[in-house]
Short mmCIF file of all heavy atoms in Angstrom, two decimals:
data_model
loop_
_atom_site.label_atom_id
_atom_site.label_comp_id
_atom_site.label_asym_id
_atom_site.label_seq_id
_atom_site.Cartn_x
_atom_site.Cartn_y
_atom_site.Cartn_z
N ILE A 1 40.91 21.69 -35.99
CA ILE A 1 40.84 20.23 -35.84
C ILE A 1 39.77 19.86 -34.83
O ILE A 1 38.96 18.93 -35.03
CB ILE A 1 42.20 19.65 -35.44
CG1 ILE A 1 43.23 19.88 -36.55
CG2 ILE A 1 42.10 18.16 -35.12
CD1 ILE A 1 44.65 19.49 -36.17
N GLY A 2 39.74 20.60 -33.70
CA GLY A 2 38.72 20.35 -32.69
C GLY A 2 37.31 20.57 -33.23
O GLY A 2 36.38 19.83 -32.89
N ALA A 3 37.16 21.58 -34.10
CA ALA A 3 35.84 21.86 -34.67
C ALA A 3 35.35 20.72 -35.56
O ALA A 3 34.14 20.52 -35.71
CB ALA A 3 35.89 23.16 -35.47
N SER A 4 36.28 19.95 -36.10
CA SER A 4 35.90 18.83 -36.97
C SER A 4 35.38 17.63 -36.18
O SER A 4 34.75 16.73 -36.74
CB SER A 4 37.09 18.39 -37.82
OG SER A 4 38.09 17.79 -37.00
N GLY A 5 35.69 17.60 -34.88
CA GLY A 5 35.21 16.52 -34.02
C GLY A 5 36.10 15.30 -34.01
O GLY A 5 35.77 14.31 -33.33
N ILE A 6 37.24 15.32 -34.72
CA ILE A 6 38.08 14.11 -34.78
C ILE A 6 39.07 14.03 -33.63
O ILE A 6 39.72 13.00 -33.43
CB ILE A 6 38.85 14.04 -36.12
CG1 ILE A 6 39.80 15.23 -36.26
CG2 ILE A 6 37.86 13.97 -37.29
CD1 ILE A 6 40.69 15.16 -37.49
N MET A 7 39.22 15.13 -32.84
CA MET A 7 40.17 15.12 -31.73
C MET A 7 39.41 15.25 -30.41
O MET A 7 38.78 16.27 -30.15
CB MET A 7 41.17 16.27 -31.87
CG MET A 7 42.24 16.28 -30.78
SD MET A 7 43.58 17.48 -31.14
CE MET A 7 42.64 19.01 -31.15
N PRO A 8 39.44 14.22 -29.57
CA PRO A 8 38.76 14.29 -28.27
C PRO A 8 39.26 15.47 -27.44
O PRO A 8 40.41 15.90 -27.57
CB PRO A 8 39.12 12.95 -27.62
CG PRO A 8 39.49 12.06 -28.75
CD PRO A 8 40.11 12.93 -29.78
N ALA A 9 38.40 15.98 -26.58
CA ALA A 9 38.75 17.14 -25.76
C ALA A 9 39.96 16.85 -24.86
O ALA A 9 40.81 17.71 -24.66
CB ALA A 9 37.54 17.54 -24.91
N PHE A 10 40.05 15.63 -24.32
CA PHE A 10 41.16 15.27 -23.44
C PHE A 10 42.49 15.35 -24.20
O PHE A 10 43.48 15.89 -23.71
CB PHE A 10 40.94 13.86 -22.88
CG PHE A 10 42.04 13.41 -21.96
CD1 PHE A 10 42.13 13.91 -20.68
CD2 PHE A 10 42.97 12.47 -22.38
CE1 PHE A 10 43.15 13.49 -19.83
CE2 PHE A 10 43.97 12.05 -21.54
CZ PHE A 10 44.06 12.55 -20.25
N VAL A 11 42.50 14.82 -25.43
CA VAL A 11 43.71 14.88 -26.25
C VAL A 11 44.03 16.32 -26.62
O VAL A 11 45.20 16.75 -26.58
CB VAL A 11 43.53 14.03 -27.53
CG1 VAL A 11 44.74 14.20 -28.46
CG2 VAL A 11 43.33 12.57 -27.17
N GLY A 12 43.01 17.10 -26.94
CA GLY A 12 43.22 18.50 -27.30
C GLY A 12 43.84 19.29 -26.16
O GLY A 12 44.71 20.15 -26.40
N ALA A 13 43.40 19.01 -24.94
CA ALA A 13 43.96 19.72 -23.78
C ALA A 13 45.45 19.46 -23.65
O ALA A 13 46.24 20.37 -23.37
CB ALA A 13 43.21 19.30 -22.52
N TRP A 14 45.87 18.21 -23.86
CA TRP A 14 47.30 17.90 -23.78
C TRP A 14 48.07 18.46 -24.96
O TRP A 14 49.24 18.86 -24.82
CB TRP A 14 47.50 16.38 -23.69
CG TRP A 14 47.24 15.84 -22.32
CD1 TRP A 14 46.20 15.07 -21.92
CD2 TRP A 14 48.03 16.08 -21.15
NE1 TRP A 14 46.27 14.78 -20.57
CE2 TRP A 14 47.41 15.41 -20.08
CE3 TRP A 14 49.18 16.80 -20.89
CZ2 TRP A 14 47.91 15.42 -18.78
CZ3 TRP A 14 49.70 16.82 -19.59
CH2 TRP A 14 49.06 16.13 -18.56
N MET A 15 47.44 18.54 -26.11
CA MET A 15 48.10 19.17 -27.26
C MET A 15 48.39 20.65 -26.98
O MET A 15 49.42 21.19 -27.39
CB MET A 15 47.22 19.03 -28.51
CG MET A 15 47.10 17.61 -29.05
SD MET A 15 48.70 16.94 -29.59
CE MET A 15 49.05 18.01 -30.98
N GLN A 16 47.46 21.28 -26.27
CA GLN A 16 47.68 22.69 -25.93
C GLN A 16 48.87 22.85 -24.99
O GLN A 16 49.61 23.83 -25.06
CB GLN A 16 46.42 23.28 -25.29
CG GLN A 16 46.51 24.78 -24.99
CD GLN A 16 46.76 25.61 -26.23
OE1 GLN A 16 46.18 25.37 -27.28
NE2 GLN A 16 47.65 26.58 -26.13
N GLU A 17 49.07 21.88 -24.12
CA GLU A 17 50.26 21.91 -23.25
C GLU A 17 51.54 21.87 -24.08
O GLU A 17 52.52 22.55 -23.78
CB GLU A 17 50.23 20.69 -22.30
CG GLU A 17 49.16 20.74 -21.23
CD GLU A 17 49.57 21.61 -20.05
OE1 GLU A 17 50.58 22.34 -20.16
OE2 GLU A 17 48.89 21.56 -19.01
N LEU A 18 51.54 21.07 -25.16
CA LEU A 18 52.71 21.01 -26.04
C LEU A 18 52.94 22.35 -26.74
O LEU A 18 54.09 22.75 -26.96
CB LEU A 18 52.54 19.89 -27.06
CG LEU A 18 52.50 18.45 -26.50
CD1 LEU A 18 52.28 17.46 -27.64
CD2 LEU A 18 53.81 18.14 -25.77
N VAL A 19 51.85 23.03 -27.09
CA VAL A 19 51.97 24.35 -27.71
C VAL A 19 52.63 25.34 -26.73
O VAL A 19 53.52 26.11 -27.10
CB VAL A 19 50.59 24.88 -28.15
CG1 VAL A 19 50.69 26.33 -28.62
CG2 VAL A 19 50.03 24.01 -29.27
N ASP A 20 52.20 25.28 -25.46
CA ASP A 20 52.80 26.14 -24.44
C ASP A 20 54.30 25.89 -24.35
O ASP A 20 55.12 26.83 -24.29
CB ASP A 20 52.18 25.87 -23.07
CG ASP A 20 50.71 26.26 -23.04
OD1 ASP A 20 50.25 26.93 -23.97
OD2 ASP A 20 50.04 25.87 -22.06
N LEU A 21 54.68 24.63 -24.32
CA LEU A 21 56.09 24.26 -24.21
C LEU A 21 56.88 24.77 -25.42
O LEU A 21 57.99 25.29 -25.28
CB LEU A 21 56.23 22.74 -24.09
CG LEU A 21 57.65 22.19 -23.90
CD1 LEU A 21 58.27 22.75 -22.63
CD2 LEU A 21 57.63 20.67 -23.86
N ALA A 22 56.31 24.64 -26.61
CA ALA A 22 56.98 25.10 -27.82
C ALA A 22 57.21 26.61 -27.77
O ALA A 22 58.28 27.10 -28.16
CB ALA A 22 56.15 24.73 -29.05
N CYS A 23 56.22 27.37 -27.28
CA CYS A 23 56.35 28.82 -27.18
C CYS A 23 57.47 29.21 -26.22
O CYS A 23 58.27 30.11 -26.50
CB CYS A 23 55.04 29.45 -26.70
SG CYS A 23 53.70 29.35 -27.90
N ILE A 24 57.54 28.53 -25.09
CA ILE A 24 58.56 28.85 -24.09
C ILE A 24 59.96 28.53 -24.63
O ILE A 24 60.90 29.32 -24.48
CB ILE A 24 58.28 28.09 -22.79
CG1 ILE A 24 57.03 28.65 -22.12
CG2 ILE A 24 59.48 28.16 -21.84
CD1 ILE A 24 56.54 27.85 -20.95
N LEU A 25 60.11 27.37 -25.24
CA LEU A 25 61.42 26.99 -25.78
C LEU A 25 61.86 27.98 -26.85
O LEU A 25 63.05 28.32 -26.93
CB LEU A 25 61.36 25.57 -26.35
CG LEU A 25 61.18 24.45 -25.33
CD1 LEU A 25 61.04 23.10 -26.03
CD2 LEU A 25 62.35 24.41 -24.35
N TRP A 26 60.92 28.44 -27.67
CA TRP A 26 61.28 29.41 -28.70
C TRP A 26 61.68 30.75 -28.06
O TRP A 26 62.64 31.38 -28.48
CB TRP A 26 60.11 29.62 -29.66
CG TRP A 26 60.52 30.37 -30.90
CD1 TRP A 26 60.49 31.72 -31.10
CD2 TRP A 26 61.07 29.79 -32.09
NE1 TRP A 26 60.98 32.03 -32.34
CE2 TRP A 26 61.34 30.87 -32.99
CE3 TRP A 26 61.35 28.49 -32.50
CZ2 TRP A 26 61.88 30.68 -34.25
CZ3 TRP A 26 61.88 28.30 -33.78
CH2 TRP A 26 62.14 29.39 -34.63
N ALA A 27 60.93 31.16 -27.04
CA ALA A 27 61.23 32.43 -26.36
C ALA A 27 62.61 32.40 -25.71
O ALA A 27 63.32 33.41 -25.67
CB ALA A 27 60.16 32.73 -25.31
N LEU A 28 63.02 31.24 -25.23
CA LEU A 28 64.34 31.12 -24.58
C LEU A 28 65.49 31.31 -25.56
O LEU A 28 66.63 31.54 -25.14
CB LEU A 28 64.46 29.75 -23.90
CG LEU A 28 63.68 29.56 -22.61
CD1 LEU A 28 63.73 28.11 -22.15
CD2 LEU A 28 64.22 30.48 -21.52
N ARG A 29 65.20 31.26 -26.86
CA ARG A 29 66.25 31.48 -27.85
C ARG A 29 66.83 32.89 -27.76
O ARG A 29 67.94 33.14 -28.22
CB ARG A 29 65.71 31.25 -29.27
CG ARG A 29 65.34 29.81 -29.55
CD ARG A 29 64.73 29.65 -30.95
NE ARG A 29 65.71 29.95 -31.99
CZ ARG A 29 65.64 31.00 -32.81
NH1 ARG A 29 64.63 31.85 -32.70
NH2 ARG A 29 66.54 31.20 -33.73
N ALA A 30 66.10 33.81 -27.16
CA ALA A 30 66.58 35.18 -27.02
C ALA A 30 67.80 35.26 -26.10
O ALA A 30 68.51 36.27 -26.11
CB ALA A 30 65.47 36.08 -26.49
N ALA A 31 68.05 34.21 -25.32
CA ALA A 31 69.22 34.20 -24.44
C ALA A 31 70.51 33.89 -25.19
O ALA A 31 71.60 34.05 -24.64
CB ALA A 31 69.01 33.19 -23.30
N ARG A 32 70.38 33.44 -26.45
CA ARG A 32 71.57 33.09 -27.24
C ARG A 32 71.89 34.20 -28.22
O ARG A 32 70.99 34.86 -28.74
CB ARG A 32 71.35 31.78 -28.00
CG ARG A 32 70.99 30.60 -27.11
CD ARG A 32 71.36 29.28 -27.77
NE ARG A 32 70.88 29.19 -29.14
CZ ARG A 32 69.74 28.60 -29.49
NH1 ARG A 32 68.96 28.09 -28.56
NH2 ARG A 32 69.38 28.52 -30.77
N PRO A 33 73.17 34.43 -28.52
CA PRO A 33 73.52 35.48 -29.48
C PRO A 33 73.12 35.09 -30.89
O PRO A 33 73.14 33.91 -31.26
CB PRO A 33 75.05 35.60 -29.34
CG PRO A 33 75.47 34.24 -28.86
CD PRO A 33 74.36 33.76 -27.98
N SER A 34 72.77 36.07 -31.69
CA SER A 34 72.45 35.82 -33.09
C SER A 34 73.74 35.67 -33.89
O SER A 34 74.82 36.09 -33.46
CB SER A 34 71.62 36.97 -33.66
OG SER A 34 72.38 38.17 -33.66
N LYS A 35 73.61 35.10 -35.07
CA LYS A 35 74.76 34.96 -35.97
C LYS A 35 75.32 36.33 -36.33
O LYS A 35 76.54 36.54 -36.38
CB LYS A 35 74.34 34.21 -37.23
CG LYS A 35 75.47 33.98 -38.22
CD LYS A 35 74.98 33.24 -39.46
CE LYS A 35 76.12 33.04 -40.46
NZ LYS A 35 75.65 32.35 -41.69
N GLN A 36 74.42 37.30 -36.52
CA GLN A 36 74.84 38.66 -36.87
C GLN A 36 75.65 39.28 -35.74
O GLN A 36 76.67 39.95 -35.98
CB GLN A 36 73.62 39.52 -37.17
CG GLN A 36 73.96 40.91 -37.72
CD GLN A 36 72.72 41.72 -38.00
OE1 GLN A 36 71.61 41.35 -37.61
NE2 GLN A 36 72.89 42.84 -38.69
N GLU A 37 75.24 39.04 -34.48
CA GLU A 37 75.98 39.59 -33.34
C GLU A 37 77.36 38.97 -33.25
O GLU A 37 78.35 39.67 -32.97
CB GLU A 37 75.19 39.35 -32.05
CG GLU A 37 75.87 39.94 -30.82
CD GLU A 37 75.16 39.60 -29.53
OE1 GLU A 37 74.01 39.10 -29.59
OE2 GLU A 37 75.76 39.81 -28.47
N LEU A 38 77.47 37.66 -33.46
CA LEU A 38 78.77 37.00 -33.39
C LEU A 38 79.70 37.51 -34.49
O LEU A 38 80.88 37.76 -34.24
CB LEU A 38 78.58 35.48 -33.52
CG LEU A 38 77.85 34.80 -32.35
CD1 LEU A 38 77.59 33.33 -32.68
CD2 LEU A 38 78.66 34.93 -31.07
N GLU A 39 79.16 37.66 -35.70
CA GLU A 39 79.98 38.17 -36.80
C GLU A 39 80.42 39.60 -36.54
O GLU A 39 81.57 39.98 -36.80
CB GLU A 39 79.19 38.09 -38.11
CG GLU A 39 78.94 36.66 -38.59
CD GLU A 39 78.05 36.62 -39.82
OE1 GLU A 39 77.47 37.68 -40.17
OE2 GLU A 39 77.93 35.55 -40.44
N LEU A 40 79.49 40.40 -36.01
CA LEU A 40 79.80 41.79 -35.71
C LEU A 40 80.88 41.88 -34.64
O LEU A 40 81.84 42.66 -34.76
CB LEU A 40 78.54 42.51 -35.25
CG LEU A 40 78.67 43.99 -34.90
CD1 LEU A 40 78.98 44.79 -36.15
CD2 LEU A 40 77.40 44.49 -34.24
N GLY A 41 80.74 41.07 -33.59
CA GLY A 41 81.72 41.09 -32.51
C GLY A 41 83.11 40.73 -32.98
O GLY A 41 84.11 41.33 -32.57
N ALA A 42 83.20 39.73 -33.86
CA ALA A 42 84.50 39.30 -34.38
C ALA A 42 85.14 40.40 -35.23
O ALA A 42 86.34 40.63 -35.16
CB ALA A 42 84.34 38.02 -35.19
N ARG A 43 84.32 41.10 -36.00
CA ARG A 43 84.87 42.10 -36.93
C ARG A 43 85.29 43.38 -36.22
O ARG A 43 86.37 43.91 -36.48
CB ARG A 43 83.83 42.43 -37.99
CG ARG A 43 84.41 43.29 -39.11
CD ARG A 43 83.43 43.52 -40.23
NE ARG A 43 82.42 44.49 -39.89
CZ ARG A 43 81.15 44.22 -39.64
NH1 ARG A 43 80.73 42.97 -39.69
NH2 ARG A 43 80.28 45.16 -39.35
#
């Protein structure tokens, strides 16, 4: 998108911050048990 010239550099920099946040939130999912683990534990 940046290569096309339609997104100003200032906006692009803030978009990258949102990407960082998305990566961290996804990584934090490892702190929660998976469905398979819960089913296994119950059985």
Side-chain angles (χ1 to χ4, degrees):
I1 296 173
S4 69
I6 63 174
M7 183 170 62
F10 180 74
V11 174
W14 281 110
M15 290 297 294
Q16 184 59 42
E17 290 279 12
L18 294 178
V19 172
D20 295 347
L21 183 60
C23 291
I24 290 171
L25 292 176
W26 193 269
L28 286 172
R29 293 177 66 248
R32 303 204 311 264
S34 64
K35 182 181 179 181
Q36 188 180 11
E37 183 185 347
L38 293 174
E39 291 175 349
L40 181 67
R43 189 175 76 252

